[in-house]
Amino acid sequence: MVLSGAQAKAVQKNWANVKAHAQKYGNDLFVQYLTQNPGDIQIFAKFRDANLGDLRSNAEFNKQTKTVIDALSKIVDNLGDLNAGCSFLRERVRTHHPRGISMAQFERLLDLMPMFLQEQAGADGVVADAWRILVADLMPEMRDEFTKCSQ
C-alpha cells in the first residue's frame, strides 16, 4: 500500500506542529517508548543510568530525542519521494546496527507513532492511518538493510 497525496498532506500538516515543538514531542515520544520498553534504555550509553522521571532534564536525552524528530522530519518533508525516505532509513539502519540497535527496536518506535500522534499531537484518524501505511511502506526496506548488515 502506498500513501496517497491527500494522506501525505494530512501527515505533513500534523507534523508541522510536531516539528515546531520538536524537543517537547521528541521527549514525550521517548518517555512513552521507554516506559513501554524499559530495557531499551540500555542502548543509550549517554543516559542509560538516568531515572525515567529525570530524562527530560538530561542534556544527552534531549539531544537524542531532537535528533530522532529531525530525522523523522526529513522523511515527512519528502513524502512525495518514498525512495528518498527508504534510502534515508537504510542509512539509519547501517549506522545503528553496529551500536547493537535491533530491527525490533526500530519497529517498536515506528509502530508507536500513529497512536502517539493521536494521543499527544492532535492527529486525527486519517493521520494515524496514514502513518500506519507509511510505516508499512518503509519497514520492508529497513528489514532488508538490517538483514544485509547482519550477514
Side-chain angles (χ1 to χ4, degrees):
M1 196 171 224
V2 176
L3 210 58
S4 72
Q7 289 170 318
K9 286 179 185 176
V11 166
Q12 289 170 330
K13 182 178 178 187
N14 175 257
W15 194 258
N17 178 48
V18 174
K19 199 170 169 180
H21 305 284
Q23 192 67 70
K24 177 204 177 317
Y25 287 116
N27 287 358
D28 291 348
L29 174 65
F30 264 76
V31 166
Q32 186 170 339
Y33 175 83
L34 292 171
T35 297
Q36 292 176 4
N37 304 282
D40 284 359
I41 198 166
Q42 294 305 309
I43 63 176
F44 301 101
K46 294 181 180 179
F47 57 87
R48 73 172 60 146
D49 296 323
N51 291 323
L52 188 61
D54 298 331
L55 284 175
R56 293 173 199 278
S57 62
N58 182 295
E60 293 300 327
F61 176 78
N62 283 299
K63 279 199 274 190
Q64 178 66 36
T65 64
K66 177 79 167 55
T67 297
V68 170
I69 294 297
D70 290 347
L72 290 170
S73 292
K74 289 180 182 178
I75 295 165
V76 171
D77 289 346
N78 295 295
L79 285 178
D81 185 359
L82 189 60
N83 288 333
C86 289
S87 190
F88 179 77
L89 285 174
R90 282 178 171 275
E91 180 59 29
R92 300 293 69 75
V93 169
R94 284 192 294 273
T95 60
H96 285 64
H97 184 271
R99 294 184 234 162
I101 309 301
S102 71
M103 191 62 223
Q105 289 161 323
F106 276 115
E107 289 176 3
R108 285 194 295 264
L109 182 64
L110 290 173
D111 286 344
L112 179 61
M113 292 303 296
M115 186 63 71
F116 171 80
L117 292 170
Q118 277 189 295
E119 292 175 351
Q120 303 292 325
D124 61 16
V126 171
V127 172
D129 288 344
W131 267 96
R132 288 180 185 94
I133 292 167
L134 178 60
V135 169
D137 288 345
L138 296 171
M139 277 300 160
E141 297 290 328
M142 292 180 73
R143 286 185 191 113
D144 180 57
E145 192 63 35
F146 192 83
T147 300
K148 289 178 185 175
C149 290
S150 297
Q151 294 175 347

